[in-house]
Amino acid sequence: MSDWGRFLREVSWFLRPGEAVEVGASRAWTRGAVDGLPALSSLLAATTVTPVSVGGEPYELLAWGAADERRGWLCRPPQDGDVGAVSGAHESFWKVCGGIVERFGEPDTWWTNQNEVLTVEATRVGVAEVLADYAWLWEDNGLTLPVRPEDYYAVAVEANGNLTLAHRTDGRLLLFAPDHAFAHVTPLAGCPPYSLLTLDHVPDLTGWIEQCATAWR
């Protein structure tokens, strides 16, 4: 079975009825390593790339592993334009991959249940507007928001609306999760539970990408 066939078997809801699909020839990874992301680079080195067009929208299916243990990501193509202020690790990632929209053969990682991971679409979420809508979380506890929302952007959007945020310059990571069942998270100083959280042992975007890439390998 092809990687695209394996993907559709597990993610059958991705295609809408009658949607046009074009699947290109699979090829080995040729884009090389990603600066500052060795675990991701090791994973990608073992990857097979299948170009796919769905409803005229271009994607790439990245997959790896033995025939009976294939797993992978449906991704946007690499980003090479000026798409806004993102951290250095994110810029490096975008040179080889435009972000992840679906997965198959998925292990349990911080990317589980995320609809957009490291995509341009995620970065377009209005973080300031979202936090303003939830200002009552702090006000009801006699607190004020301890961060500048404009300093952060979304790197992942969960199905229930939770957001993973990265600082635009240093990549510091926060999770905005008013509805969650996560373990290994801690409320940010000056924040109530179920608001802004830090991820235990994952301080920044580089660590987040590397930890998830290691689990996928």
Side-chain angles (χ1 to χ4, degrees), residues 14-77:
F14 181 75
L15 288 182
R16 293 187 291 268
E19 199 162 35
V21 178
E22 296 181 13
V23 181
S26 299
R27 60 182 184 274
W29 182 262
T30 59
R31 293 174 191 152
V34 186
D35 292 344
L37 297 171
L40 176 69
S41 297
S42 178
L43 177 64
L44 293 177
T47 292
T48 299
V49 183
T50 304
V52 181
S53 173
V54 179
E57 189 79 16
Y59 297 94
E60 292 181 334
L61 183 64
L62 310 186
W64 51 88
D68 59 345
E69 297 178 336
R70 297 294 277 179
R71 57 174 47 169
W73 310 331
L74 186 69
C75 301
R76 303 286 187 187

Short mmCIF file of all heavy atoms in Angstrom, two decimals, residues 14-77:
data_model
loop_
_atom_site.label_atom_id
_atom_site.label_comp_id
_atom_site.label_asym_id
_atom_site.label_seq_id
_atom_site.Cartn_x
_atom_site.Cartn_y
_atom_site.Cartn_z
N PHE A 14 -10.49 13.29 5.78
CA PHE A 14 -9.80 14.44 5.20
C PHE A 14 -10.37 14.81 3.83
O PHE A 14 -10.48 15.99 3.50
CB PHE A 14 -8.30 14.15 5.08
CG PHE A 14 -7.52 15.31 4.53
CD1 PHE A 14 -7.25 16.42 5.32
CD2 PHE A 14 -7.07 15.30 3.22
CE1 PHE A 14 -6.53 17.50 4.81
CE2 PHE A 14 -6.36 16.38 2.70
CZ PHE A 14 -6.09 17.47 3.51
N LEU A 15 -10.72 13.82 3.03
CA LEU A 15 -11.25 14.08 1.69
C LEU A 15 -12.76 14.26 1.74
O LEU A 15 -13.48 13.44 2.30
CB LEU A 15 -10.92 12.93 0.74
CG LEU A 15 -9.48 12.77 0.28
CD1 LEU A 15 -9.38 11.61 -0.69
CD2 LEU A 15 -8.97 14.05 -0.36
N ARG A 16 -13.23 15.34 1.12
CA ARG A 16 -14.67 15.55 0.97
C ARG A 16 -15.17 14.81 -0.26
O ARG A 16 -14.42 14.62 -1.23
CB ARG A 16 -14.99 17.04 0.88
CG ARG A 16 -14.71 17.81 2.16
CD ARG A 16 -15.22 19.24 2.07
NE ARG A 16 -14.45 20.02 1.13
CZ ARG A 16 -13.39 20.75 1.45
NH1 ARG A 16 -12.96 20.76 2.71
NH2 ARG A 16 -12.76 21.45 0.54
N PRO A 17 -16.44 14.38 -0.28
CA PRO A 17 -16.97 13.65 -1.44
C PRO A 17 -16.77 14.43 -2.73
O PRO A 17 -17.07 15.62 -2.82
CB PRO A 17 -18.45 13.51 -1.10
CG PRO A 17 -18.51 13.55 0.39
CD PRO A 17 -17.43 14.51 0.80
N GLY A 18 -16.24 13.75 -3.75
CA GLY A 18 -16.06 14.35 -5.05
C GLY A 18 -14.86 15.26 -5.19
O GLY A 18 -14.65 15.85 -6.26
N GLU A 19 -14.05 15.39 -4.14
CA GLU A 19 -12.91 16.30 -4.19
C GLU A 19 -11.81 15.72 -5.08
O GLU A 19 -11.44 14.56 -4.98
CB GLU A 19 -12.37 16.54 -2.78
CG GLU A 19 -11.51 17.76 -2.65
CD GLU A 19 -11.36 18.18 -1.20
OE1 GLU A 19 -11.30 17.29 -0.33
OE2 GLU A 19 -11.33 19.39 -0.93
N ALA A 20 -11.27 16.56 -5.94
CA ALA A 20 -10.23 16.12 -6.88
C ALA A 20 -8.90 15.92 -6.16
O ALA A 20 -8.49 16.76 -5.35
CB ALA A 20 -10.07 17.15 -7.99
N VAL A 21 -8.24 14.81 -6.49
CA VAL A 21 -6.96 14.49 -5.86
C VAL A 21 -5.95 14.10 -6.93
O VAL A 21 -6.26 13.33 -7.84
CB VAL A 21 -7.11 13.31 -4.86
CG1 VAL A 21 -5.76 12.96 -4.25
CG2 VAL A 21 -8.12 13.64 -3.78
N GLU A 22 -4.75 14.64 -6.82
CA GLU A 22 -3.64 14.25 -7.67
C GLU A 22 -2.48 13.86 -6.77
O GLU A 22 -2.09 14.62 -5.88
CB GLU A 22 -3.22 15.39 -8.60
CG GLU A 22 -4.30 15.79 -9.61
CD GLU A 22 -3.82 16.91 -10.52
OE1 GLU A 22 -2.60 17.19 -10.53
OE2 GLU A 22 -4.67 17.50 -11.20
N VAL A 23 -1.94 12.67 -7.01
CA VAL A 23 -0.84 12.16 -6.20
C VAL A 23 0.38 11.98 -7.08
O VAL A 23 0.33 11.27 -8.08
CB VAL A 23 -1.22 10.82 -5.53
CG1 VAL A 23 -0.06 10.31 -4.66
CG2 VAL A 23 -2.48 10.98 -4.69
N GLY A 24 1.47 12.64 -6.75
CA GLY A 24 2.69 12.55 -7.53
C GLY A 24 3.57 11.38 -7.12
O GLY A 24 3.23 10.60 -6.23
N ALA A 25 4.72 11.28 -7.76
CA ALA A 25 5.66 10.19 -7.48
C ALA A 25 6.39 10.46 -6.16
O ALA A 25 6.83 11.58 -5.89
CB ALA A 25 6.66 10.07 -8.62
N SER A 26 6.51 9.42 -5.35
CA SER A 26 7.23 9.53 -4.08
C SER A 26 8.73 9.60 -4.32
O SER A 26 9.25 9.02 -5.28
CB SER A 26 6.90 8.35 -3.17
OG SER A 26 5.51 8.31 -2.89
N ARG A 27 9.42 10.31 -3.44
CA ARG A 27 10.86 10.46 -3.59
C ARG A 27 11.50 10.57 -2.21
O ARG A 27 10.83 10.89 -1.23
CB ARG A 27 11.18 11.70 -4.42
CG ARG A 27 10.68 13.00 -3.80
CD ARG A 27 10.97 14.20 -4.68
NE ARG A 27 10.58 15.46 -4.06
CZ ARG A 27 9.37 16.00 -4.12
NH1 ARG A 27 8.40 15.36 -4.79
NH2 ARG A 27 9.10 17.14 -3.52
N ALA A 28 12.78 10.33 -2.16
CA ALA A 28 13.52 10.45 -0.90
C ALA A 28 13.68 11.92 -0.52
O ALA A 28 13.60 12.81 -1.37
CB ALA A 28 14.88 9.78 -1.03
N TRP A 29 13.92 12.16 0.75
CA TRP A 29 14.15 13.52 1.24
C TRP A 29 15.45 14.06 0.67
O TRP A 29 16.49 13.40 0.72
CB TRP A 29 14.23 13.49 2.76
CG TRP A 29 14.43 14.85 3.38
CD1 TRP A 29 15.60 15.39 3.81
CD2 TRP A 29 13.41 15.81 3.65
NE1 TRP A 29 15.37 16.64 4.33
CE2 TRP A 29 14.04 16.93 4.24
CE3 TRP A 29 12.03 15.83 3.46
CZ2 TRP A 29 13.34 18.07 4.64
CZ3 TRP A 29 11.32 16.95 3.85
CH2 TRP A 29 11.97 18.06 4.43
N THR A 30 15.42 15.28 0.11
CA THR A 30 16.61 15.87 -0.50
C THR A 30 16.91 17.27 0.04
O THR A 30 17.82 17.93 -0.46
CB THR A 30 16.45 15.95 -2.02
OG1 THR A 30 15.31 16.75 -2.34
CG2 THR A 30 16.30 14.57 -2.64
N ARG A 31 16.17 17.74 1.02
CA ARG A 31 16.33 19.13 1.47
C ARG A 31 17.37 19.31 2.57
O ARG A 31 17.60 20.41 3.04
CB ARG A 31 14.97 19.68 1.95
CG ARG A 31 13.99 19.82 0.81
CD ARG A 31 12.61 20.22 1.24
NE ARG A 31 11.67 20.09 0.14
CZ ARG A 31 10.38 19.85 0.27
NH1 ARG A 31 9.85 19.73 1.48
NH2 ARG A 31 9.61 19.71 -0.79
N GLY A 32 17.96 18.23 3.00
CA GLY A 32 19.03 18.33 3.98
C GLY A 32 18.55 18.56 5.39
O GLY A 32 17.37 18.39 5.72
N ALA A 33 19.50 18.96 6.24
CA ALA A 33 19.24 19.15 7.67
C ALA A 33 18.67 20.54 7.93
O ALA A 33 18.71 21.43 7.09
CB ALA A 33 20.52 18.93 8.46
N VAL A 34 18.12 20.69 9.14
CA VAL A 34 17.55 21.96 9.58
C VAL A 34 18.43 22.52 10.69
O VAL A 34 18.65 21.85 11.70
CB VAL A 34 16.10 21.76 10.09
CG1 VAL A 34 15.48 23.12 10.41
CG2 VAL A 34 15.27 21.01 9.07
N ASP A 35 18.93 23.72 10.49
CA ASP A 35 19.83 24.33 11.47
C ASP A 35 19.20 24.36 12.86
O ASP A 35 18.07 24.82 13.03
CB ASP A 35 20.18 25.75 11.05
CG ASP A 35 21.05 25.81 9.81
OD1 ASP A 35 21.63 24.77 9.45
OD2 ASP A 35 21.13 26.89 9.19
N GLY A 36 19.94 23.87 13.84
CA GLY A 36 19.51 23.94 15.23
C GLY A 36 18.48 22.93 15.65
O GLY A 36 18.03 22.96 16.80
N LEU A 37 18.10 22.02 14.74
CA LEU A 37 17.07 21.02 15.04
C LEU A 37 17.57 19.63 14.65
O LEU A 37 17.10 19.02 13.67
CB LEU A 37 15.77 21.36 14.31
CG LEU A 37 15.11 22.69 14.69
CD1 LEU A 37 13.96 23.02 13.74
CD2 LEU A 37 14.59 22.63 16.12
N PRO A 38 18.51 19.06 15.40
CA PRO A 38 19.10 17.78 15.01
C PRO A 38 18.13 16.61 15.04
O PRO A 38 18.21 15.72 14.17
CB PRO A 38 20.24 17.59 16.01
CG PRO A 38 19.88 18.47 17.18
CD PRO A 38 19.16 19.64 16.59
N ALA A 39 17.24 16.53 16.03
CA ALA A 39 16.29 15.41 16.08
C ALA A 39 15.34 15.47 14.89
O ALA A 39 15.05 14.44 14.26
CB ALA A 39 15.51 15.43 17.39
N LEU A 40 14.84 16.66 14.57
CA LEU A 40 13.99 16.81 13.39
C LEU A 40 14.77 16.45 12.14
O LEU A 40 14.25 15.74 11.25
CB LEU A 40 13.47 18.23 13.30
CG LEU A 40 12.65 18.54 12.04
CD1 LEU A 40 11.32 17.80 12.07
CD2 LEU A 40 12.42 20.05 11.90
N SER A 41 16.01 16.88 12.03
CA SER A 41 16.82 16.60 10.86
C SER A 41 17.01 15.10 10.67
O SER A 41 16.96 14.58 9.55
CB SER A 41 18.17 17.30 10.97
OG SER A 41 18.02 18.70 10.99
N SER A 42 17.25 14.39 11.77
CA SER A 42 17.41 12.93 11.70
C SER A 42 16.13 12.26 11.21
O SER A 42 16.16 11.32 10.40
CB SER A 42 17.81 12.39 13.07
OG SER A 42 17.93 10.99 13.06
N LEU A 43 14.99 12.73 11.71
CA LEU A 43 13.71 12.19 11.27
C LEU A 43 13.50 12.43 9.78
O LEU A 43 13.13 11.53 9.03
CB LEU A 43 12.59 12.83 12.09
CG LEU A 43 11.15 12.43 11.72
CD1 LEU A 43 10.91 10.96 11.99
CD2 LEU A 43 10.16 13.28 12.50
N LEU A 44 13.75 13.65 9.35
CA LEU A 44 13.52 13.99 7.95
C LEU A 44 14.45 13.24 7.01
O LEU A 44 14.08 12.92 5.87
CB LEU A 44 13.67 15.50 7.75
CG LEU A 44 12.63 16.37 8.44
CD1 LEU A 44 12.93 17.85 8.21
CD2 LEU A 44 11.21 16.04 7.96
N ALA A 45 15.66 12.94 7.46
CA ALA A 45 16.60 12.21 6.63
C ALA A 45 16.08 10.83 6.23
O ALA A 45 16.48 10.28 5.19
CB ALA A 45 17.95 12.08 7.35
N ALA A 46 15.18 10.28 7.04
CA ALA A 46 14.61 8.96 6.76
C ALA A 46 13.25 9.04 6.06
O ALA A 46 12.56 8.04 5.94
CB ALA A 46 14.46 8.18 8.07
N THR A 47 12.89 10.23 5.60
CA THR A 47 11.54 10.49 5.12
C THR A 47 11.40 10.28 3.62
O THR A 47 12.30 10.57 2.84
CB THR A 47 11.15 11.95 5.48
OG1 THR A 47 11.02 12.06 6.89
CG2 THR A 47 9.86 12.37 4.81
N THR A 48 10.23 9.78 3.23
CA THR A 48 9.80 9.74 1.84
C THR A 48 8.76 10.83 1.63
O THR A 48 7.85 10.99 2.45
CB THR A 48 9.18 8.37 1.49
OG1 THR A 48 10.16 7.36 1.68
CG2 THR A 48 8.69 8.34 0.05
N VAL A 49 8.89 11.60 0.57
CA VAL A 49 8.02 12.72 0.28
C VAL A 49 7.12 12.38 -0.91
O VAL A 49 7.60 12.00 -1.97
CB VAL A 49 8.82 13.99 -0.05
CG1 VAL A 49 7.89 15.18 -0.29
CG2 VAL A 49 9.82 14.30 1.06
N THR A 50 5.80 12.53 -0.71
CA THR A 50 4.83 12.33 -1.79
C THR A 50 4.06 13.63 -2.01
O THR A 50 3.32 14.06 -1.13
CB THR A 50 3.84 11.20 -1.45
OG1 THR A 50 4.56 10.00 -1.16
CG2 THR A 50 2.88 10.95 -2.62
N PRO A 51 4.25 14.28 -3.17
CA PRO A 51 3.46 15.49 -3.44
C PRO A 51 2.00 15.12 -3.72
O PRO A 51 1.72 14.15 -4.42
CB PRO A 51 4.13 16.08 -4.67
CG PRO A 51 4.81 14.93 -5.34
CD PRO A 51 5.18 13.97 -4.25
N VAL A 52 1.09 15.91 -3.17
CA VAL A 52 -0.34 15.65 -3.30
C VAL A 52 -1.06 16.98 -3.53
O VAL A 52 -0.72 17.99 -2.92
CB VAL A 52 -0.92 14.97 -2.04
CG1 VAL A 52 -2.42 14.69 -2.21
CG2 VAL A 52 -0.17 13.69 -1.71
N SER A 53 -2.04 16.97 -4.41
CA SER A 53 -2.93 18.12 -4.58
C SER A 53 -4.34 17.67 -4.24
O SER A 53 -4.83 16.67 -4.78
CB SER A 53 -2.87 18.63 -6.03
OG SER A 53 -3.84 19.64 -6.25
N VAL A 54 -5.00 18.40 -3.35
CA VAL A 54 -6.37 18.07 -2.94
C VAL A 54 -7.24 19.31 -3.16
O VAL A 54 -7.02 20.35 -2.54
CB VAL A 54 -6.41 17.67 -1.45
CG1 VAL A 54 -7.86 17.36 -1.02
CG2 VAL A 54 -5.53 16.45 -1.19
N GLY A 55 -8.18 19.18 -4.09
CA GLY A 55 -9.02 20.32 -4.41
C GLY A 55 -8.23 21.52 -4.90
O GLY A 55 -8.59 22.66 -4.64
N GLY A 56 -7.11 21.24 -5.58
CA GLY A 56 -6.26 22.31 -6.07
C GLY A 56 -5.29 22.87 -5.05
O GLY A 56 -4.48 23.74 -5.37
N GLU A 57 -5.34 22.36 -3.82
CA GLU A 57 -4.47 22.83 -2.75
C GLU A 57 -3.25 21.91 -2.64
O GLU A 57 -3.40 20.69 -2.51
CB GLU A 57 -5.21 22.83 -1.42
CG GLU A 57 -4.50 23.49 -0.27
CD GLU A 57 -4.59 25.00 -0.33
OE1 GLU A 57 -5.44 25.54 -1.08
OE2 GLU A 57 -3.80 25.66 0.37
N PRO A 58 -2.02 22.46 -2.72
CA PRO A 58 -0.83 21.59 -2.67
C PRO A 58 -0.47 21.17 -1.25
O PRO A 58 -0.53 21.96 -0.31
CB PRO A 58 0.26 22.49 -3.27
CG PRO A 58 -0.17 23.88 -2.91
CD PRO A 58 -1.68 23.87 -2.94
N TYR A 59 -0.09 19.91 -1.13
CA TYR A 59 0.40 19.35 0.13
C TYR A 59 1.59 18.45 -0.17
O TYR A 59 1.87 18.11 -1.32
CB TYR A 59 -0.68 18.50 0.82
CG TYR A 59 -1.92 19.23 1.24
CD1 TYR A 59 -3.04 19.28 0.41
CD2 TYR A 59 -2.00 19.87 2.47
CE1 TYR A 59 -4.20 19.95 0.80
CE2 TYR A 59 -3.14 20.53 2.87
CZ TYR A 59 -4.24 20.57 2.02
OH TYR A 59 -5.39 21.23 2.41
N GLU A 60 2.27 18.06 0.91
CA GLU A 60 3.29 17.02 0.82
C GLU A 60 3.04 16.03 1.95
O GLU A 60 2.86 16.43 3.10
CB GLU A 60 4.69 17.62 0.97
CG GLU A 60 5.09 18.50 -0.20
CD GLU A 60 6.49 19.06 -0.05
OE1 GLU A 60 6.96 19.19 1.10
OE2 GLU A 60 7.10 19.35 -1.09
N LEU A 61 3.03 14.75 1.61
CA LEU A 61 2.91 13.71 2.62
C LEU A 61 4.32 13.22 2.95
O LEU A 61 5.00 12.66 2.08
CB LEU A 61 2.04 12.56 2.12
CG LEU A 61 1.77 11.45 3.13
CD1 LEU A 61 0.98 11.97 4.33
CD2 LEU A 61 1.03 10.28 2.47
N LEU A 62 4.75 13.46 4.18
CA LEU A 62 6.05 12.99 4.64
C LEU A 62 5.83 11.74 5.47
O LEU A 62 5.02 11.74 6.40
CB LEU A 62 6.75 14.06 5.50
CG LEU A 62 6.82 15.49 4.94
CD1 LEU A 62 7.66 16.37 5.87
CD2 LEU A 62 7.37 15.50 3.54
N ALA A 63 6.54 10.66 5.14
CA ALA A 63 6.32 9.39 5.83
C ALA A 63 7.65 8.65 5.99
O ALA A 63 8.58 8.84 5.22
CB ALA A 63 5.32 8.53 5.07
N TRP A 64 7.69 7.78 7.01
CA TRP A 64 8.90 7.03 7.30
C TRP A 64 8.53 5.77 8.05
O TRP A 64 7.39 5.60 8.49
CB TRP A 64 9.88 7.88 8.12
CG TRP A 64 9.25 8.50 9.32
CD1 TRP A 64 9.14 7.96 10.56
CD2 TRP A 64 8.58 9.77 9.37
NE1 TRP A 64 8.45 8.81 11.39
CE2 TRP A 64 8.10 9.93 10.69
CE3 TRP A 64 8.33 10.76 8.43
CZ2 TRP A 64 7.39 11.04 11.08
CZ3 TRP A 64 7.63 11.89 8.83
CH2 TRP A 64 7.17 12.03 10.15
N GLY A 65 9.52 4.88 8.22
CA GLY A 65 9.30 3.65 8.97
C GLY A 65 9.18 2.43 8.08
O GLY A 65 9.04 2.54 6.85
N ALA A 66 9.24 1.25 8.71
CA ALA A 66 9.08 0.00 7.98
C ALA A 66 7.68 -0.10 7.39
O ALA A 66 6.76 0.61 7.81
CB ALA A 66 9.34 -1.18 8.92
N ALA A 67 7.49 -1.01 6.44
CA ALA A 67 6.22 -1.10 5.71
C ALA A 67 5.03 -1.31 6.63
O ALA A 67 3.94 -0.78 6.37
CB ALA A 67 6.31 -2.24 4.69
N ASP A 68 5.21 -2.06 7.70
CA ASP A 68 4.09 -2.34 8.61
C ASP A 68 4.05 -1.36 9.78
O ASP A 68 3.24 -1.53 10.70
CB ASP A 68 4.16 -3.77 9.13
CG ASP A 68 5.46 -4.08 9.86
OD1 ASP A 68 6.41 -3.28 9.73
OD2 ASP A 68 5.51 -5.11 10.56
N GLU A 69 4.91 -0.33 9.76
CA GLU A 69 4.96 0.64 10.85
C GLU A 69 5.06 2.07 10.31
O GLU A 69 5.65 2.94 10.96
CB GLU A 69 6.14 0.35 11.77
CG GLU A 69 6.07 -1.00 12.47
CD GLU A 69 7.28 -1.27 13.34
OE1 GLU A 69 8.35 -0.66 13.07
OE2 GLU A 69 7.17 -2.06 14.28
N ARG A 70 4.48 2.32 9.13
CA ARG A 70 4.59 3.65 8.54
C ARG A 70 3.83 4.68 9.36
O ARG A 70 2.77 4.40 9.94
CB ARG A 70 4.05 3.64 7.11
CG ARG A 70 4.80 2.76 6.15
CD ARG A 70 6.20 3.24 5.89
NE ARG A 70 6.30 4.30 4.88
CZ ARG A 70 7.44 4.88 4.53
NH1 ARG A 70 8.57 4.54 5.14
NH2 ARG A 70 7.45 5.81 3.60
N ARG A 71 4.37 5.86 9.41
CA ARG A 71 3.71 6.99 10.07
C ARG A 71 4.17 8.25 9.38
O ARG A 71 5.20 8.25 8.70
CB ARG A 71 4.02 7.02 11.56
CG ARG A 71 5.50 7.07 11.88
CD ARG A 71 5.80 7.26 13.37
NE ARG A 71 5.04 6.42 14.25
CZ ARG A 71 5.30 6.28 15.55
NH1 ARG A 71 6.31 6.94 16.09
NH2 ARG A 71 4.57 5.52 16.31
N GLY A 72 3.41 9.32 9.55
CA GLY A 72 3.86 10.54 8.89
C GLY A 72 2.91 11.71 9.04
O GLY A 72 1.92 11.65 9.77
N TRP A 73 3.24 12.78 8.30
CA TRP A 73 2.53 14.06 8.39
C TRP A 73 2.06 14.49 7.01
O TRP A 73 2.81 14.38 6.03
CB TRP A 73 3.46 15.15 8.90
CG TRP A 73 4.24 14.85 10.14
CD1 TRP A 73 3.87 14.01 11.17
CD2 TRP A 73 5.51 15.39 10.50
NE1 TRP A 73 4.83 14.02 12.14
CE2 TRP A 73 5.86 14.85 11.76
CE3 TRP A 73 6.38 16.28 9.89
CZ2 TRP A 73 7.05 15.18 12.41
CZ3 TRP A 73 7.57 16.61 10.52
CH2 TRP A 73 7.90 16.06 11.78
N LEU A 74 0.87 15.02 6.94
CA LEU A 74 0.43 15.75 5.75
C LEU A 74 0.75 17.22 6.00
O LEU A 74 0.28 17.81 6.97
CB LEU A 74 -1.06 15.56 5.49
CG LEU A 74 -1.56 16.19 4.19
CD1 LEU A 74 -0.99 15.43 2.98
CD2 LEU A 74 -3.08 16.20 4.12
N CYS A 75 1.57 17.80 5.12
CA CYS A 75 2.15 19.11 5.36
C CYS A 75 1.84 20.10 4.25
O CYS A 75 1.58 19.72 3.10
CB CYS A 75 3.67 18.99 5.48
SG CYS A 75 4.22 17.88 6.79
N ARG A 76 1.94 21.37 4.59
CA ARG A 76 1.98 22.42 3.60
C ARG A 76 3.39 22.43 2.97
O ARG A 76 4.36 22.00 3.61
CB ARG A 76 1.72 23.78 4.24
CG ARG A 76 0.40 23.88 4.97
CD ARG A 76 -0.77 23.97 4.04
NE ARG A 76 -2.01 24.24 4.76
CZ ARG A 76 -3.21 24.23 4.18
NH1 ARG A 76 -3.33 23.99 2.89
NH2 ARG A 76 -4.30 24.48 4.89
N PRO A 77 3.52 22.92 1.74
CA PRO A 77 4.86 23.06 1.15
C PRO A 77 5.70 24.05 1.94
O PRO A 77 5.17 24.86 2.71
CB PRO A 77 4.57 23.58 -0.26
CG PRO A 77 3.14 23.25 -0.53
CD PRO A 77 2.45 23.31 0.80
#
